[in-house]
Amino acid sequence: MTTSYLLSDKRNLLRTDIKPANDNKEALKLDEKEILFLASLAPSGHNTQPWFVQYLEPYHWIIGNDKSKWLPAVDPTQRETILSIGTFIQNLEYAATYFGYGCNWNLLAKTNQDKQVMEVKLKKKS
């Protein structure tokens, strides 16, 4: 899967409707963009993609639980939401490893209702 992605024309896969929300106008590094893009291909319940990524500094992010993507009628306890965020986190780790990074994880959420779920710092492996 990764090989076909790297050889593909990615222009048709990039979302132009979402603009970066960071106030410091600092752009993501190329490998950060690739890692987050690959992570975003994770499956999610009803394809809601209920996660967000808060940029703290290069290679240091918070993975969050986007309440606006919850589906109370089919997932009243957010069980499927948390599973979906977990698939995003797993994809992020796979992609980071592919690009030569190790992930240091810090669980922030105490319940499945918390906005901030996981903190991650990527460190280049030697």
Side-chain angles (χ1 to χ4, degrees):
M1 168 103 177
T2 303
T3 305
S4 61
Y5 163 74
L6 294 173
L7 298 174
S8 72
D9 176 10
K10 296 177 276 291
R11 290 177 294 175
N12 63 334
L13 299 174
L14 299 177
R15 293 190 60 169
T16 57
D17 61 322
I18 298 176
K19 303 297 180 211
N22 57 350
D23 293 8
N24 60 8
K25 305 296 184 213
E26 190 171 331
L28 290 172
K29 311 254 186 258
L30 181 59
D31 50 354
E32 286 181 299
K33 287 181 187 180
E34 297 289 328
I35 290 166
L36 289 171
F37 174 76
L38 289 170
S40 76
L41 298 176
S44 60
H46 297 277
N47 200 28
T48 57
Q49 300 180 330
W51 52 76
F52 67 85
V53 178
Q54 180 183 352
Y55 175 90
L56 301 175
E57 60 186 359
Y59 307 101
H60 185 193
W61 313 310
I62 291 178
I63 311 306
N65 184 348
D66 186 352
K67 189 175 184 175
S68 71
K69 304 286 182 73
W70 288 3
L71 300 172
V74 294
D75 186 24
T77 63
Q78 284 70 54
R79 178 186 180 277
E80 300 299 322
T81 298
I82 293 300
L83 289 173
S84 297
I85 293 170
T87 62
F88 175 84
I89 288 170
Q90 186 68 61
N91 270 16
L92 192 152
E93 184 157 24
Y94 288 149
T97 300
Y98 177 81
F99 284 97
Y101 292 89
C103 297
N104 293 320
W105 300 100
N106 179 30
L107 179 63
L108 302 173
K110 297 198 184 330
T111 74
N112 61 353
Q113 309 282 314
D114 291 343
K115 185 174 182 177
Q116 295 184 333
V117 177
M118 188 78 74
E119 176 184 19
V120 61
K121 290 183 183 181
L122 277 59
K123 184 170 182 174
K124 192 74 167 172
K125 295 179 183 176
S126 54

